[in-house]
Amino acid sequence: MLISPAWHWIRWLNHEYRSPSIPGQAIKAERQDLSNDAKSVLTKLAAWINERNIPFLITSIGMIVMLLWAGSYKMTAPGAEGIVPLVSNSPLIWWHFKLFGPYIGSDIIGLSEVAAAILIAAGYVKPKAGIIGGFIGTLMFFITSTMVITTPGAIISVPGIHHMRYMSFLGLFLSRMSYRSEDAFT
């Protein structure tokens, strides 16, 4: 019997596997309690952390807090004025401030960050909402990462050394924000 690759992944995501000893019968894989099998205290702690998915919780809560903080800051006058050079030089959203103006445009960007944070938080209860929030966050961080390349002053030449460049404080800020994109789906 041929099973399509998509069906295989759906079954894998649902933790259903076929047992070779019982052909044609699907069984559910049970999660092992690794903390009972652990011998040392450190191994038991690692198993307990793994079973409760603590790294995911810490990372996603950090992402939620950061998105709420950055989104709410962009809805203030200093936040709106601070991102004008970044958005104006972005190859993907340069039109945004021309269409909406800097204050309304910054409010829209801030609201999208707050919406992504709320959706990621809602993902604890409704996983589909978390996936949508993760996609929004990934898109925002991708757009931010393009600003590192296109914003004047983000990358500076080293005086006296030909072809040597480094990131200015603006470039480091943008790269720190864009490196968070990997957290959107963890």
Side-chain angles (χ1 to χ4, degrees):
M1 176 176 145
L2 289 174
I3 299 175
S4 71
W7 180 249
H8 171 73
W9 283 108
I10 291 169
R11 292 186 57 208
W12 181 78
L13 289 172
N14 289 331
H15 301 291
E16 295 177 1
Y17 300 96
R18 292 200 178 264
S19 172
S21 61
I22 310 170
Q25 184 179 13
I27 59 169
K28 294 226 177 204
E30 294 184 23
R31 194 173 177 151
Q32 290 180 335
D33 188 14
L34 299 175
S35 59
N36 292 337
D37 298 335
K39 301 212 184 324
S40 72
V41 174
L42 187 59
T43 310
K44 287 182 181 184
L45 176 65
W48 183 85
I49 288 171
N50 186 40
E51 288 168 0
R52 283 151 186 83
N53 214 358
I54 303 292
F56 169 78
L57 294 174
I58 291 171
T59 303
S60 61
I61 290 170
M63 177 65 69
I64 291 165
V65 169
M66 191 270 311
L67 284 170
L68 288 172
W69 169 75
S72 61
Y73 180 69
K74 286 187 178 86
M75 292 187 249
T76 64
E81 293 164 2
I83 64 170
V84 167
L86 306 175
V87 174
S88 300
N89 291 301
S90 173
L92 302 175
I93 58 169
W94 59 269
W95 53 270
H96 193 77
F97 281 179
K98 292 186 192 289
L99 183 64
F100 299 113
Y103 295 106
I104 294 175
S106 182
D107 286 348
I108 292 170
I109 293 170
L111 283 173
S112 68
E113 290 179 350
V114 169
I118 291 170
L119 287 169
I120 291 170
Y124 290 125
V125 180
K126 300 279 188 185
K128 288 181 183 179
I131 291 171
I132 293 168
F135 277 127
I136 292 170
T138 301
L139 179 65
M140 288 186 311
F141 294 124
F142 174 74
I143 291 170
T144 302
S145 68
T146 63
M147 294 177 189
V148 173
I149 300 167
T150 60
T151 302
I155 299 176
I156 301 172
S157 297
V158 175
I161 303 176
H162 194 60
H163 299 297
M164 183 70 161
R165 298 180 181 274
Y166 67 95
M167 285 191 205
S168 66
F169 288 121
L170 174 64
L172 290 172
F173 171 76
L174 289 172
S175 66
R176 180 183 60 83
M177 294 300 287
S178 64
Y179 290 146
R180 299 253 184 190
S181 66
E182 66 188 44
D183 295 342
F185 279 115
T186 57

